[in-house]
């Protein structure tokens, strides 16, 4: 596609339910990032996939959060037993990995707004 | 952890140049300076990046000091649509050094 696509754009869920958020990166981009942004706050790094390397999960806030990237393309962020503090906009970005950084800026999707009620 | 320091907020009159500073005193030799901005309710948008030379594109100019410990993003003729949070990031381009770490950014308000 022309850009990073995230779905759904909005998700309202009940506390305790599991949710899955999807990210379709730009074709050919091997690096993929997940961030979350709470209302009025900055971007909080969650996880980073880089080609076939083990992902950098250092930003995941708890073991309720997990992410996978199948086939080096689509990524799914899963939040189990959602809590109200999980309410935020979840942003995905992709980037062409390797080579000179001249063409390696990250492109962001428009995010999924998650509301836990 | 973020390796940059930016003012929390700035104001700029429409049509004037907006100069946004960033301190990155611990930048290493293989790290680039990147600028992104986030307009309300949108995902961050890439603006420009540089290593040591000044850079210019259709959106902005980036001035990096000779010691590379600080830089300034210049929007030459700010418009109301430039109102956004501007993030300065330092980043390598291999392995985990290429992870993007956002700080709190500078909230630029462009006014009439």
């Amino acid at each position: 596609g022309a850009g990073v696509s995230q779905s759904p754009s909005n998700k309202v869920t009940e506390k305790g339910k599991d949710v899955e958020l999807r990210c379709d990166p730009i074709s050919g981009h091997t690096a993929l990032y997940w961030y979350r942004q709470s209302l009025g706050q900055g971007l909080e790094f969650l996880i980073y996939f880089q080609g076939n390397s083990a992902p950098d999960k250092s930003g995941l806030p708890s073991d309720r959060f997990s992410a996978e990237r199948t086939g080096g393309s689509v990524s799914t962020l899963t939040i189990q037993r959602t809590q109200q503090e999980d309410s935020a906009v979840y942003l995905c970005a992709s980037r062409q990995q390797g080579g000179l950084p001249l063409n390696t800026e990250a492109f962001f999707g428009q995010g999924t707004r998650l509301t836990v009620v | 952890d973020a390796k940059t320091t930016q003012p929390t907020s700035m104001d700029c009159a429409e049509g004037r140049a907006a100069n946004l500073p960033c301190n990155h005193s611990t930048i290493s030799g293989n790290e680039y300076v990147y600028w992104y901005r986030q307009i309300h309710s949108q995902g961050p948008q890439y603006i420009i990046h540089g290593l040591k030379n000044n850079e210019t594109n259709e959106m902005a100019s980036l001035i990096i000091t000779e010691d590379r410990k600080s830089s300034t993003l210049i929007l030459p003729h700010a418009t109301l649509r430039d109102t956004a949070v501007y993030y300065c990031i330092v980043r390598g381009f291999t392995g985990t050094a290429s992870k993007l770490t956002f700080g709190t950014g500078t909230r630029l308000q462009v006014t009439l």
Side-chain angles (χ1 to χ4, degrees), chain A residues 37 89 91 108-111, chain B residues 37-45:
Chain A
Q37 189 170 35
V89 176
L91 290 157
F108 282 79
Q110 292 304 302
Chain B
R37 73 179 181 183
Q38 187 175 26
I39 296 171
H40 182 60
S41 298
Q42 298 183 21
Q45 174 192 25

Side-chain angles (χ1 to χ4, degrees), chain A residues 45-112:
Chain A
F45 168 78
L46 296 177
I47 189 169
Y48 167 44
F49 294 91
Q50 177 189 332
N52 295 321
S53 302
D56 180 347
K57 304 180 182 179
S58 60
L60 295 179
S62 76
D63 57 9
R64 295 188 296 105
F65 288 73
S66 62
E68 62 178 20
R69 188 176 186 194
T70 55
S73 181
V74 172
S75 178
T76 302
L77 177 70
T78 301
I79 308 173
Q80 296 178 311
R81 305 180 302 281
T82 52
Q83 303 294 315
Q84 288 185 329
E85 60 262 30
D86 299 334
S87 296
V89 176
Y90 288 80
L91 290 157
C92 175
S94 73
R95 184 171 62 83
Q96 181 179 341
Q97 179 67 31
L100 295 174
L102 294 176
N103 295 313
T104 60
E105 63 264 31
F107 294 88
F108 282 79
Q110 292 304 302
T112 293

